[in-house]
Amino acid sequence: MAFGDQYKKWKVDDFKVSSACGLSGFISRDGHLTGGEVIIESMRVIRERGNGLGGGFAGYGIYPKHEEHYALHIMFEDANGKSRCEELLEESLEVEASEEMPTMPIPQIQAPPILWRYFAVPRREKLTAEGLSADDFMVRLVMAINTTVPGTFVFSSGKNMGVFKAVGFAEDVGEFFRIPDYSAYTWIGHGRFPTNTPGWWGGAHPFNILDWAVVHNGEISSYGINKRYLEMFGYHCTLLTDTEVMAYLFDLLVRKQGLPLPIACKILAAPFWKSIDEDDDPAEKELLESLRMTYGSALVNGPFAVIVGYSRGMVGLNDRVKLRPLVAATKDELLYVSSEESAIRQICPRPDRVWAPPAGQPVIGELKGDV
Amino acid sequence: MPGTMVPSEFIINIDQERCRRCKRCVMNCGFGAFEFKDRTIADSSKCVACHRCVVFCPEEAITIGRNPLAFRENPSWDVGLRKSIWRQAATPGMILTGMGNDLPWLNIFDHLLIDACQVTNPSIDPLREPMELRTYLGRKPDHLEVEPNGNGGFGLKNKVSNNIRLEVPIMFSGMSYGSVSLNVHRALAIAAEQLGTVMNTGEGGLHEELYPYADHIIVQCASGRFGVHSKYLNAGAAVEIKIGQGAKPGIGGHLPGEKIGLDVSGTRMIPVGTDALSPAPHHDIYSIEDLSQLIYALKEATDYKPISVKIASVHNVAAIASGIARAGADIIYLDGFRGGTGASPAVIRDHVGIPLEIAVAVVDEQLRKEGIRNLVSIIAAGGIRSSADVAKVIALGADAVGIGTAALIAMGCRVCQKCYTGNCSWGIATQKPELMGRLDPDWGAERLVNLVDSWSTELKEILGALGVNAVESLRGNRERLRTLGLDATTAEILDVKPAGR
């Protein structure tokens, strides 16, 4: 099915997509940049966890020349969408540079849309007039484009990072987008196994908003209420994928409400009442009780394993009963998180430590303070 | 001419061969339908089909049948309508009734289906995994702030205000002392404590004997202000301002003088034998700002306990609820048009209000649209009949449910709808000492605990099938409901997709 047909289907139907998947990611805490061929190599091992209907990557630190600019990766069904979108961009942003995304056509990747990237910042007068922060302005702009411009989809909008995704197996998607040409301190990869819809380019992972990139294995059984909760804060889940909910929740809790990442993880994968009741520290108990009381609608219930990238780090997280696999490993300054140990050992044969993070316990790796 | 000219609704049959003439039926019938001469004689015209005699006859000699008397069929002139006219032609007045709406209106609950997991998201087994029903009622902040606590962890900067903690999202609805017996209140209080939930006093005050159950009681302040004093207001975990009731939106509570003996009169602070007629509106609430003043007056009087506002589900319920949330309430108690009552004019009970399912859906949606859903908890009551109804109404957006009729049925009620007469043979809706004594509070409490425990187990089973392990993941999660045989407009209002989509 052509890109456009799928796209229309997604925009018209209120139809949630669930998927199972393979994920892998790593961060160099010392800021060392690694070529994209490494993450492709890792993903190749867990090819079987996907079914060729979606693959993608996110790299952090890939656009050092444009690090002050939002890097917008946009897919267009046709030239009409592109010109309409560019009018909107011109009106809202100062565009520093724009170019076609470098790709390598291969037979495994069929019917690509028009792929273009823009490096830009919001127009100052717009921010003043709207009274918005640059980040909030960009979130609104991305949502406006994705909901109102036909056949157009912004799939990456962070700074000095980028998301690359398509219908296909992860390693083919990597080759198509020439991922080995990029170097990053954090790489995240995803191979998708959608179970109830043909793949669509925009529906592949990672899902991104600003510098958040989320790859996700699972289905969120609490999706309906998570979505309605986010709507209260102005987030509109236009893609109707579980993963989108996850990205917006991180953005809301960490960026907008200023909660530390470990606290956000305690909200998404809340500890059970039994363990809260048994907590001997009254202050900790009150904190956890208050979090559950306040953020019950943000509890992400159902099987999931996610890897979330952000500008300074990467976090791996499982649902509260660990219904999906997630393995972590360290080697010197590197932290690895993946669906399978094999995907880690493929690129790091002798890790210092390998472990299975317990349910609901985040594994967080961040750049060291001076990096 | 014989009285009202209304033929008996039921016919009592006594098998005289089996009857041992023990007279238990004579003693047990609260309505005086039996008499003993040389044998047991029944007056069918007094029978309300409450089954007390049937249950207590040791020989199973009594059966109750519907009067087979044929009426000429005429769908526009339903037999019930003809009987009402005969009664009103005999004695002018409103037809009184008890319990919830008994007309065959569409029941939306019966057109909603619940989802379950298969393969892609696994179901969770409540027998082997934790399954959480704990619910907090009251205002929540829209976000929390934390700061490093110096030990590598974090401490709270802003606190959550007082909430009521329920171990199950099911509470007992307001049923006043006066409309029901003190033993009913005793049973409800004992059960609420055991279950970790709350009972609601209704509008008749709280007998001092029950003050020790304060943590498990919501005390009500209604337009009649019966039994309201400062000690009473502080005798509960929360205070509820009763604006309206699903069974009789727009009118006040009615308790006939027959049910007001010494104890009820003492608790309600009114003379023995007077009709306790609550004014239709609160005489100090004629607008939303007046309500706000009462809410804050009650908060001041109770050291900021949660304040609930109970309203009947009426056409404009969403906007009203939004006003109540903004007026400072912590809980909104929505009573649907099937809600029960001890006494109500039948015309109001049967024709005024809207279904609970719609009220919950539109109130939840409105509060979310306005970004103020966190300001209040929503309690849904009035027509909750089973754990399936509980799950469905929580999925539509309620935080918890209230059960009244179901609780009474657990204690023996046969839904004969004669609560207003004070003759309840089961000792529930009566103040007659000889009838009241029939309900042992401990027995009643045990039945209530069993019922709520059963529903909780069923609710956990439903959550497990849905693949979630905490009730907050079902709350407002309409994605997990589908409609079947419901018209498109109603489905759209409920924001629930039809089965197959």
Side-chain angles (χ1 to χ4, degrees), chain B residues 333-356:
Chain B
Y333 184 114
L334 294 173
D335 203 13
F337 87 139
R338 285 174 210 278
T341 175
S344 167
V347 65
I348 301 286
R349 185 197 72 172
D350 294 345
H351 300 280
V352 178
I354 63 169
L356 175 66

Side-chain angles (χ1 to χ4, degrees), chain B residues 472-493:
Chain B
E472 55 261 47
S473 297
L474 174 63
R475 186 165 302 128
N477 193 348
R478 301 176 188 177
E479 185 63 32
R480 310 306 297 277
L481 291 178
R482 290 293 185 270
T483 65
L484 184 64
L486 200 59
D487 67 280
T489 310
T490 307
E492 185 196 324
I493 290 167

